[in-house]
Amino acid sequence: MKCLEETINYGGEDNMFIDQEYIENLLDEAKSATKEDIQKVLDKAKEKKGLSHRDIAILLQTEDEEQIKEIYKIAGDIKKSIYGNRIVMFAPLYVSDYCVNNCVYCGYKKNNKFPRRKLTREEIQQEVKILEKMGHKRLALEAGEDPENCPIDYILDAIDAVYSTQNDNGVIRRINVNIAATTVENYRKLKEAKIGTYILFQETYHKPTYDRMHPNSIKGDYEYHLTAFDRAMEAGIDDVGGGVLFGLADPKFEVLGLMIHNEHLEEKYGVGFHTISFPRLRKAEGNDLNKFPYLVSDDMFKKIVAITRIAVPFTGIIMSTRESAEMRRELLKYGVSQISAGSSTGVGGYKERENGQKDVDQFELADHRTPIEVLKELISDKYIPSYCTACYRKGRTGDRFMSLAKTGQIQNVCTPNALMTLMEFLMDYSDEELYEKGEALIKEELEKIEREDVRNLVRKNIERIKNGERDLYL
Ligand code: SF4
Ligand code: SF4
């Protein structure tokens, strides 16, 4: 019998490259996979040669506990071999909560009545200074969708305000942008404004669910939303970050949706997702979690993160502070390569937190620790927290980045950059305990750098940073 991939055309000439029936059939067919079939996929996964849709569906349907443990083990090995022990750090910056949409799951939906606001240039600079004081170098700029109150020119000005705010040694070196799907022309403007990654969550690939979640709104146009990255790529943005909001539809369907979307971009533009985010649905103002039948359990969540790591080894996996410290710690083992720390998900939230105030947030957070606390735990667990932003500033983006990543050459710069940015953090923002822990880790990790010339260079640069220089990178 022919397998589904040979018989169904999922990537037709039109833009609906996500074929709902195809995904459902894949999942149905995979339910009858035997233990031996699953083992074959696991053996293939170990070779890191990529998985077919059918393979991914089989792993998603696996229920056998021993085989699930093996999925974790393979994901952990892949993660270690590609990302080593580095974890990239970032924080979100919410600039506007005006929104014309009514997404059922979101605290910023139009029907929620609260005083909306967008930050002035000065307020953005205040927020950025607070983020810089926490040691952040990489931000994700977030805004609701409102063409009138939050037009593209406002976003461009906000980006400029962020990049131009320097505070002692604090500076934001990379801004990733998460704003609503827009036109090629607007994406060109974002590209010119020197954004890092353009992030957009599909929320759900399951069209009937998508339609229900986005009633009577601009965002309700599934196809326009789905093809946003095509327009971004057309405009020259080659780093795009996908994601879904896990909890809206069957998570197995969503993982296959993500994989097919990724492949569509790879096939058409030579590069797929730079990152995939894994937000799980949380309580927010005006949403009742009891009304969502697909809430994702911790076990299922771990499984889908691990399967994604196996299926797309070179794509960064992002986890936000929506997840608890324990869950984040666990998922770092199976695939997560980027985490946020010290986050606020309210507009002007960092200033308000300093003042002890509390406003409407987009959703509830579970990890409230400061970056210093997060870094202490990471270092105790032998991870290297990294504030590196080098690739984008060196022009290593899109397919250039991916070809370096796939040949493993990127590793020669990631660890050195992680160590140098960690040293910067220790010099400028840490307390005594973190400094000691961090310095010991840097010494240990320096010895592990294989190339002698690189090791010597990094050692020299660490000393230069201790003597006051900043922003040294490879
Ligand atoms: Fe608006 Fe985004 Fe919230 Fe939807 S998810 S209501 S578009 S802010
Ligand atoms: Fe990321 Fe590039 Fe820095 Fe490595 S060198 S951590 S890939 S920005």
Side-chain angles (χ1 to χ4, degrees):
M1 191 184 96
K2 277 186 162 191
C3 89
L4 277 164
E5 274 145 300
E6 292 167 85
T7 55
I8 295 178
N9 174 16
Y10 59 87
E13 277 310 299
D14 67 2
N15 285 322
M16 295 303 282
F17 46 86
I18 299 289
D19 182 328
Q20 310 284 313
E21 213 183 306
Y22 170 69
I23 298 177
E24 273 157 16
N25 288 339
L26 270 177
L27 287 169
D28 269 353
E29 199 186 66
K31 276 185 198 156
S32 52
T34 62
K35 213 168 163 173
E36 288 67 41
D37 293 333
I38 299 169
Q39 198 51 50
K40 271 190 206 149
V41 178
L42 289 170
D43 292 341
K44 189 172 167 190
K46 280 182 212 154
E47 288 169 25
K48 290 184 227 161
K49 286 197 180 136
L51 298 177
S52 69
H53 301 156
R54 181 174 170 272
D55 296 336
I56 297 168
I58 286 178
L59 292 186
L60 288 166
Q61 296 291 23
T62 307
E63 300 286 353
D64 182 282
E65 278 192 22
E66 284 309 308
Q67 289 185 311
I68 292 176
K69 272 193 204 147
E70 201 169 342
I71 291 177
Y72 292 155
K73 163 96 181 55
I74 297 168
D77 289 347
I78 289 178
K79 180 169 176 219
K80 223 182 215 165
S81 74
I82 293 171
Y83 296 85
N85 53 348
R86 301 172 305 274
I87 305 294
V88 170
M89 311 297 298
F90 78 100
L93 171 63
Y94 283 71
V95 293
S96 169
D97 55 24
Y98 283 97
C99 195
V100 294
N101 294 313
N102 241 332
C103 310
V104 173
Y105 46 83
C106 178
Y108 286 173
K109 66 179 146 220
K110 185 173 76 179
N111 284 357
N112 277 357
K113 300 296 171 210
F114 64 94
R116 306 269 166 172
R117 61 183 296 211
K118 66 177 174 197
L119 300 179
T120 63
R121 194 177 168 88
E122 290 66 36
E123 286 170 330
I124 291 172
Q125 289 175 325
Q126 268 183 355
E127 293 282 282
V128 172
K129 282 181 186 166
I130 297 170
L131 284 157
E132 288 174 349
K133 272 199 276 173
M134 287 194 257
H136 283 296
K137 302 283 186 259
R138 177 190 287 247
L139 297 186
L141 187 137
E142 316 265 347
E145 179 167 17
D146 189 329
E148 212 167 288
N149 289 300
C150 184
I152 191 71
D153 286 344
Y154 170 77
I155 297 294
L156 298 174
D157 195 46
I159 293 169
D160 181 63
V162 175
Y163 275 140
S164 61
T165 304
Q166 188 152 1
N167 187 25
D168 299 325
N169 284 332
V171 62
I172 299 303
R173 298 173 181 153
R174 175 180 177 123
I175 308 173
N176 299 331
V177 172
N178 180 2
I179 60 163
T182 184
T183 59
V184 175
E185 196 191 340
N186 285 346
Y187 286 129
R188 266 199 200 105
K189 291 179 183 171
L190 290 176
K191 169 82 183 162
E192 278 162 24
K194 300 199 181 333
I195 66 163
T197 309
Y198 171 62
I199 300 167
L200 184 72
F201 301 160
Q202 180 59 31
E203 316 294 9
T204 173
Y205 285 97
H206 188 247
K207 189 167 184 309
T209 307
Y210 188 94
D211 293 345
R212 261 187 297 114
M213 291 296 144
H214 305 100
N216 311 320
S217 61
I218 307 183
K219 192 165 165 180
D221 186 339
Y222 178 90
E223 190 172 344
Y224 186 75
H225 199 77
L226 185 64
T227 51
F229 289 149
D230 293 75
R231 294 190 294 284
M233 292 268 183
E234 236 176 88
I237 296 178
D238 52 7
D239 272 0
V240 298
V244 298
L245 181 54
F246 284 99
L248 301 182
D250 178 358
K252 297 171 188 171
F253 187 101
E254 305 291 28
V255 172
L256 282 165
L258 280 164
M259 296 304 112
I260 293 171
H261 195 172
N262 182 60
E263 263 177 41
H264 162 77
L265 295 173
E266 271 182 352
E267 275 161 22
K268 203 162 166 193
Y269 305 98
V271 56
F273 293 142
H274 186 68
T275 54
I276 295 178
S277 298
F278 269 78
R280 254 194 306 183
L281 183 61
R282 287 271 158 218
K283 171 116 200 66
E285 193 79 17
N287 83 8
D288 176 358
L289 288 188
N290 295 321
K291 293 197 175 138
F292 294 89
Y294 286 104
L295 293 181
V296 177
S297 69
D298 288 353
D299 283 344
M300 175 58 86
F301 198 49
K302 282 185 231 166
K303 190 165 123 181
I304 56 181
V305 169
I307 292 171
T308 305
R309 175 42 70 235
I310 295 172
V312 282
F314 300 101
T315 302
I317 294 186
I318 300 182
M319 184 124 314
S320 77
T321 51
R322 282 173 192 249
E323 293 301 328
S324 67
E326 297 71 44
M327 182 51 81
R328 294 187 342 142
R329 192 178 196 190
E330 172 111 26
L331 289 172
L332 285 174
K333 292 190 230 155
Y334 312 134
V336 169
S337 57
Q338 235 184 84
I339 58 171
S340 50
S343 307
S344 163
T345 59
V347 175
Y350 294 103
K351 180 86 195 141
E352 278 161 11
R353 192 160 67 193
E354 270 200 347
N355 295 342
Q357 293 165 297
K358 174 88 183 73
D359 212 337
V360 175
D361 286 348
Q362 195 188 22
F363 51 82
E364 276 185 8
L365 301 182
D367 185 350
H368 298 276
R369 294 173 301 165
T370 64
I372 288 185
E373 289 167 329
V374 174
L375 261 58
K376 278 181 188 168
E377 182 181 278
L378 287 174
I379 292 174
S380 295
D381 290 347
K382 296 284 179 207
Y383 290 110
I384 315 172
S386 174
Y387 286 88
C388 177
T389 55
C391 282
Y392 141 84
R393 295 159 80 219
K394 283 257 188 186
R396 294 190 294 250
T397 60
D399 52 358
R400 226 194 121 206
F401 169 83
M402 274 302 167
S403 63
L404 281 173
K406 288 181 180 173
T407 55
Q409 288 180 50
I410 199 78
Q411 304 231 35
N412 297 328
V413 290
C414 290
T415 301
N417 287 333
L419 296 177
M420 290 187 277
T421 54
L422 175 60
M423 193 67 236
E424 285 188 345
F425 188 99
L426 298 180
M427 291 298 295
D428 294 337
Y429 310 105
S430 80
D431 60 18
E432 216 174 303
E433 184 196 339
L434 179 62
Y435 189 95
E436 275 173 25
K437 277 172 167 246
E439 208 191 19
L441 179 81
I442 291 174
K443 269 194 197 136
E444 208 180 306
E445 292 293 332
L446 258 172
E447 295 312 315
K448 292 187 201 156
I449 297 178
E450 280 175 18
R451 271 179 54 180
E452 197 185 348
D453 55 339
V454 177
R455 191 166 62 242
N456 288 337
L457 176 67
V458 180
R459 196 174 279 135
K460 211 164 92 199
N461 282 354
I462 296 280
E463 285 311 309
R464 285 169 64 188
I465 291 166
K466 284 187 180 172
N467 289 327
E469 280 186 69
R470 294 291 176 268
D471 207 12
L472 306 174
Y473 57 92
L474 308 181

